[in-house]
């Protein structure tokens, strides 16, 4: 979705950043937010994962540093990706309840 913008100004989109922390390195957060800032503001920032997992240990300081809200998703069974489903459900809720321009 692209809101109307004057051709001489940068967009000022309202952006929801939803991160599958199980599949994205914490080292990429600064670059992601820098890229998004070219288009607008990521007002909604969430990262999904099992935060008790040792694999997400590096994310913990990044969450605080970049004001990203951690969404706990327990891994109840092997081979199932509950994190993806939780992220998609939240994305659909935000789509219908928030006035956002981009995800």
């Amino acid at each position: 979705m692209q809101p109307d913008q004057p051709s001489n100004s940068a967009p000022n989109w309202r952006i929801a950043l939803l991160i599958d922390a199980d599949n994205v390195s914490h080292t990429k957060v600064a670059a992601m937010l820098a890229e998004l800032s070219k288009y607008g503001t990521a007002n909604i920032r969430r990262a999904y994962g099992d935060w008790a997992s040792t694999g997400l240990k590096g994310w913990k300081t990044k969450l605080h540093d970049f004001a990203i809200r951690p969404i706990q998703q327990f891994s109840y069974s092997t081979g199932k990706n509950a994190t993806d489903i939780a992220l998609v459900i939240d994305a659909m809720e935000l789509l219908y309840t928030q006035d956002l321009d981009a995800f």
Side-chain angles (χ1 to χ4, degrees), residues 21 24-29 51 53-66:
V24 175
S25 171
H26 66 279
T27 62
K28 306 292 184 196
V29 175
W51 299 106
S53 165
T54 56
L56 297 183
K57 188 170 109 176
W59 270 100
K60 292 183 182 177
T61 57
K62 300 294 183 179
L63 296 171
H64 180 71
D65 292 347
F66 293 101

Side-chain angles (χ1 to χ4, degrees), residues 1 17 29 33-34 45:
M1 196 183 325
L17 173 61
V29 175
L33 287 167
R45 300 176 183 192

Side-chain angles (χ1 to χ4, degrees), residues 64-99:
H64 180 71
D65 292 347
F66 293 101
I68 299 171
R69 181 175 150 201
I71 306 295
Q72 173 65 38
Q73 186 57 54
F74 294 102
S75 302
Y76 290 116
S77 57
T78 305
K80 304 292 182 192
N81 203 339
T83 300
D84 288 344
I85 300 302
L87 189 150
V88 169
I89 290 170
D90 278 1
M92 295 302 293
E93 178 189 2
L94 291 169
L95 177 65
Y96 289 103
T97 62
Q98 301 294 315
D99 186 21

Side-chain angles (χ1 to χ4, degrees), residues 4-5 8 12 17 21-24 33-35 42-44 50 52 54 58-59 62 65 75 79 82 87 93 102-103:
D4 293 331
Q5 292 287 328
N8 61 351
N12 191 21
L17 173 61
D22 294 333
N23 294 311
V24 175
L33 287 167
E35 182 65 23
N43 294 356
I44 297 172
D50 185 350
T54 56
W59 270 100
K62 300 294 183 179
D65 292 347
S75 302
L87 189 150
E93 178 189 2
F103 283 81

